[in-house]
Amino acid sequence: MMRLSPRSAVLCAAFALAASAVSAQSLPGGGDTRSSGLGGLLNGLSSFTQKESPEEEARSGEDIAAPVLGAAPPWKNSTVQRYVNLVGRRVADQAERRDVAWRFAVIDSPSINAMAFPGGIVVVTRGLYALLDTEDELAAVLGHEIAHVNRKHQWKVIRQQKLVALAEGRITGKDASKTSKLVADLGAKLIARGLDKSAEFEADRDGAVLAARAGYDSSALISVMQKLSRVTSDQGDASLLFATHPAPAQRIEQLVAAASPELEVAAVPSPAAARLKSAHSAP
Amino acid sequence: MGLGMQKMRLRAVSGVALLALMIAVAPASAETAKLRIPVSLLSAPSTSASATGNAKAGAAAQILDRRGFWARVSVGGANGWVKLSALSLASANSGREIASLTSGRSGQGNVVSTSGGRGLDNGADLTRGTPSPAAVAALSSLAVSQDDAERYARAAHLTTRALAYTAAPKEGASQ
């Protein structure tokens, strides 16, 4: 969750006004404000607000992912990488967004975590991957991350903070490398602090639905949560995951409380459940 | 061999068998929960299954097994299946969980953070790497097409389901 300084909050309010004024201006019959001083300001601001595009989102996601992949590159196991991409893409294709380039990877880190980046990059650490026993569990983990991208959870936060940085003159929008650096820093902070709890619960609910739409066990996230609640230090370090997410027991409770009868019916192991183990043992 | 000896051996054998059964039944770390509502304990994880007993709200339950959105629990000596939604997990587990999750690792008491307020230290290992745009670019070569994923799903006999998203439970639904 982003916290704003009072000054930033004022600037944000100015942006909100600017955005609404600009959209009003584009309506048929809307008065032309271009000639006034305020109109000029609004047009200047609108060049920022109108910039949002899947391309900008993708670029930002890549800027944020770059240091993460620098710290933990994709695991050199092409069989597992392909497998995770097949399962990930299968689940992602159940989501609504079509303007995303889905890319999945198991990254070579012993810690236990998974992350989504704006624009469709999803990574699972080797530590978390090793905890999984079935393809249904993998689909559940990927479904949660896909849901974050589908709802633009991270991107909305980053985008808003980027606008504040523009308004405060910390970036100009013309220096691409400076913008990339700022976005990477904002992303690192977001990774360390985590999203709002409600966004995590929403990703749990949506992720279970996406996985179940794809044909997987709608209750597999519960298995993953049970494993997380029992994880021991020799299985890997899950401290970042726990610092940025609600407790596993609370996540199970919220997921269960929200489950629809249709989702409960889908709580059966999929025919693909055992595939994960065979992908594991492959060279 | 005397009858007494045979009895003793039988007792020893059944003792071992009982122990083995207990190990098989109870998971390595049985979770505890509290019943949030009065429930019927059912003979199978289905609303149409017969009742084997009843349990009161507030009773402590040991979770023995889980299947889908159901749990088999032991409450005051009686066993049976209940809906997971009848159980309060967080209130019964949070203390133990937080203790076990922090032991020997972060060393910080408060591991459950809701939003902001934490420093960068937790993310240090994954966000302080030297940026690798090449590794990011290489992700595209791992990606598969929608056709690939569909072929894979067909081979795995996965069938799609039409399912709507679910709404957040009302405040207090999981207290």
Side-chain angles (χ1 to χ4, degrees):
Chain A
M1 183 69 176
M2 190 175 80
R3 289 160 307 155
L4 296 175
S5 65
R7 184 173 164 225
S8 307
V10 168
L11 286 164
C12 267
F15 270 117
L17 282 171
S20 56
V22 166
S23 56
Q25 187 188 317
S26 63
L27 290 172
D32 186 6
T33 56
R34 262 164 241 239
S35 52
S36 72
L38 179 64
L41 175 66
L42 294 183
N43 280 326
L45 290 171
S46 75
S47 69
F48 295 150
T49 55
Q50 285 170 354
K51 252 186 210 160
E52 204 221 333
S53 64
E55 292 74 30
E56 185 199 355
E57 180 189 347
R59 204 164 44 244
S60 297
E62 289 172 5
D63 288 337
I64 298 166
V68 174
L69 292 175
W75 182 21
K76 289 198 189 317
N77 182 329
S78 55
T79 310
V80 165
Q81 298 296 6
R82 180 165 173 82
Y83 172 66
V84 169
N85 272 278
L86 286 167
V87 176
R89 185 63 198 257
R90 167 69 175 177
V91 177
D93 285 337
Q94 316 306 316
E96 287 69 22
R97 289 190 70 184
R98 289 286 173 269
D99 56 355
V100 172
W102 296 105
R103 288 151 288 172
F104 301 88
V106 177
I107 57 170
D108 207 346
S109 164
S111 64
I112 295 170
N113 213 341
M115 288 177 198
F117 301 89
I121 295 173
V122 171
V123 301
V124 177
T125 63
R126 253 181 104 170
L128 176 55
Y129 189 75
L131 278 187
L132 305 176
D133 286 308
T134 65
E135 187 167 309
D136 296 282
E137 291 174 0
L138 175 63
V141 169
L142 297 175
H144 173 98
E145 302 304 332
I146 289 163
H148 278 315
V149 176
N150 198 40
R151 297 263 186 197
K152 300 187 184 179
H153 282 154
Q154 287 90 349
W155 177 228
K156 281 178 189 164
V157 176
I158 298 291
R159 168 78 180 156
Q160 204 176 354
Q161 292 178 338
K162 215 177 139 182
L163 286 180
V164 170
L166 275 163
E168 291 182 344
R170 284 184 282 132
I171 51 171
T172 60
K174 283 177 186 157
D175 185 342
S177 72
K178 205 173 171 186
T179 303
S180 287
K181 173 86 176 63
L182 174 104
V183 167
D185 288 348
L186 294 174
K189 282 181 188 147
L190 185 59
I191 289 168
R193 289 194 181 135
L195 291 162
D196 191 79
K197 205 165 138 177
S198 62
E200 295 300 342
F201 289 137
E202 184 172 54
D204 283 347
R205 295 194 307 274
D206 284 6
V209 168
L210 293 174
R213 283 180 186 169
Y216 294 105
D217 183 343
S218 64
S219 69
L221 192 66
I222 299 174
S223 312
V224 178
M225 289 303 134
Q226 285 183 305
K227 283 175 190 174
L228 288 177
S229 71
R230 294 169 189 159
V231 82
T232 55
S233 52
D234 60 319
Q235 291 175 299
D237 183 350
S239 58
L240 176 60
L241 188 151
F242 289 130
T244 54
H245 291 75
Q250 211 188 348
R251 294 176 67 180
I252 295 175
E253 283 190 353
Q254 290 285 317
L255 186 65
V256 162
S260 61
E262 295 77 26
L263 198 71
E264 291 186 8
V265 170
V268 286
S270 78
R275 280 208 176 193
L276 184 130
K277 287 297 184 190
S278 46
H280 251 307
S281 56
Chain B
M1 200 191 294
L3 196 64
M5 187 74 165
Q6 261 185 352
K7 257 190 189 164
M8 262 173 66
R9 188 187 278 180
L10 196 67
R11 211 172 286 161
V13 167
S14 61
V16 170
L18 192 67
L19 191 68
L21 195 70
M22 280 170 67
I23 290 168
V25 166
S29 58
E31 287 158 276
T32 54
K34 216 187 270 179
L35 284 169
R36 60 169 102 246
I37 48 169
V39 292
S40 294
L41 301 169
L42 303 174
S43 59
S46 158
T47 45
S48 55
S50 60
T52 59
N54 295 296
K56 287 179 186 164
Q62 286 281 109
I63 300 175
L64 307 174
D65 197 2
R66 184 190 61 81
R67 207 172 299 167
F69 289 84
W70 291 81
R72 195 165 70 80
V73 294
S74 166
V75 189
N79 280 359
W81 292 91
V82 297
K83 291 287 285 282
L84 265 180
S85 54
L87 299 173
S88 169
L89 302 171
S91 59
N93 280 315
S94 55
R96 189 177 63 84
E97 260 193 32
I98 288 169
S100 66
L101 297 178
T102 49
S103 64
R105 275 174 291 129
S106 73
Q108 292 168 9
N110 177 25
V111 297
V112 182
S113 165
T114 54
S115 52
R118 299 191 67 91
L120 274 171
D121 290 344
N122 282 307
D125 61 335
L126 285 177
T127 58
R128 287 193 190 153
T130 305
S132 175
V136 173
L139 293 181
S140 301
S141 64
L142 301 174
V144 303
S145 68
Q146 185 166 7
D147 284 350
D148 288 339
E150 269 174 24
R151 253 193 307 279
Y152 167 76
R154 262 198 307 277
H157 305 291
L158 289 168
T159 45
T160 52
R161 300 181 177 102
L163 284 170
Y165 288 123
T166 56
K170 288 193 182 78
E171 279 293 312
S174 70
Q175 300 270 306

